[in-house]
Amino acid sequence: MNPAEIPSPKRIGILIAEDHLIARVGISTIVAMQSDMTVVAEALNGAHAVQLHRQFRPDITLMDIRMPGMTGFEAMSSIRSEWPNARFVALSTYGGDEDIRRALQCGAQAYLTKEVLHDELLKAIRAVHSGQTYLPASVAAALAAQFPRADLSVRETEVLRLIVQGLSNKQIAYELRIAEYTVKNHVKNVLNKLGVDDRTQAATSALQRGIIHLS
């Protein structure tokens, strides 16, 4: 066969879902420079990612997990409900263990924080495309840390969110329209489940682990 007639290998089709323009352009530029990759579409939020995935059926979706409206978590779950074999690289500003666990549960095969080097992103894409899971050392370490699983109820998560915002038990009771003694019970449960001694430690742990995010 004449070399000119040899078909070129199929490029990895990539959908980028990222709501911040600068980050999206940066990722797109890195991908576009690779001979084995191509950007098939760019989504501005989770719902847009689901729509574009239906249209373009990418090989890999680079999914920002924190986007307005439908989050990346929700978008991955929605896409996987239609295409169980869909492959994702989750991207986040945060590297907390709860965020990582949730992303993997929603179908991500890789999890990267956004300060990773370009080479790390490309390694993750190629690994996931070949059917592997890719977790950088820092991410693997966060998962391996002996934190107690949060397993907070919806109400406990609401109480924790308000603790992070600096509200007192009385203010939380007013905000949630429940009795103050009920708030005290929720706070006690939250501290026990997070393995911390006080509200300040609870707030710090919630933010570091990705249980709560400041908007």
Side-chain angles (χ1 to χ4, degrees):
M1 180 182 290
N2 189 305
E5 298 174 351
I6 299 175
S8 58
K10 180 180 179 295
R11 292 186 177 186
I12 304 170
I14 296 173
L15 165 62
I16 301 171
E18 165 63 64
D19 62 311
H20 290 99
L21 175 61
I22 294 176
R24 191 170 65 250
V25 170
I27 294 170
S28 179
T29 300
I30 294 169
V31 170
M33 293 174 63
Q34 310 309 308
S35 60
D36 59 339
M37 301 178 192
T38 184
V39 177
V40 298
E42 298 181 15
L44 308 181
N45 52 52
H48 195 204
V50 174
Q51 173 190 340
L52 292 178
H53 195 282
R54 290 193 187 108
Q55 182 177 352
F56 292 97
R57 300 292 298 275
D59 298 306
I60 305 285
T61 298
L62 305 183
M63 184 74 76
D64 181 10
I65 62 173
R66 296 285 172 180
M67 293 185 286
M70 177 184 280
T71 67
F73 296 121
E74 295 165 333
M76 286 190 289
S77 295
S78 178
I79 291 170
R80 292 270 291 193
S81 70
E82 297 185 53
W83 294 281
N85 295 323
R87 295 177 178 178
F88 303 96
V89 174
L91 303 175
S92 178
T93 305
Y94 311 95
D97 64 302
E98 289 295 323
D99 270 342
I100 299 166
R101 288 193 183 98
R102 187 177 176 191
L104 297 177
Q105 289 169 355
C106 290
Q109 290 83 24
Y111 187 104
L112 302 177
T113 53
K114 292 184 181 179
E115 70 270 14
V116 297
L117 298 176
H118 297 176
D119 289 347
E120 193 96 74
L121 174 63
L122 300 176
K123 287 178 182 177
I125 292 172
R126 293 183 178 114
V128 171
H129 185 251
S130 66
Q132 302 173 43
T133 297
Y134 189 91
L135 298 176
S138 60
V139 172
L143 276 181
Q146 296 302 306
F147 292 119
R149 292 295 299 272
D151 292 326
L152 300 176
S153 68
V154 173
R155 179 63 85 187
E156 288 164 352
T157 302
E158 291 174 334
V159 169
L160 179 57
R161 186 179 302 279
L162 295 175
I163 289 174
V164 170
Q165 293 175 13
L167 273 64
S168 67
N169 285 355
K170 185 175 182 179
Q171 291 170 319
I172 293 172
Y174 178 81
E175 186 76 18
L176 299 180
R177 299 182 179 182
I178 58 179
E180 189 171 349
Y181 73 85
T182 303
V183 174
K184 290 180 180 179
N185 287 334
H186 286 315
V187 172
K188 181 180 179 181
N189 290 338
V190 167
L191 298 184
N192 288 336
K193 289 184 177 182
L194 295 183
V196 297
D197 296 324
D198 56 42
R199 300 163 73 93
T200 300
Q201 291 179 8
T204 301
S205 178
L207 293 172
Q208 289 179 340
R209 296 178 60 184
I211 302 169
I212 301 294
H213 292 282
L214 295 174
S215 56

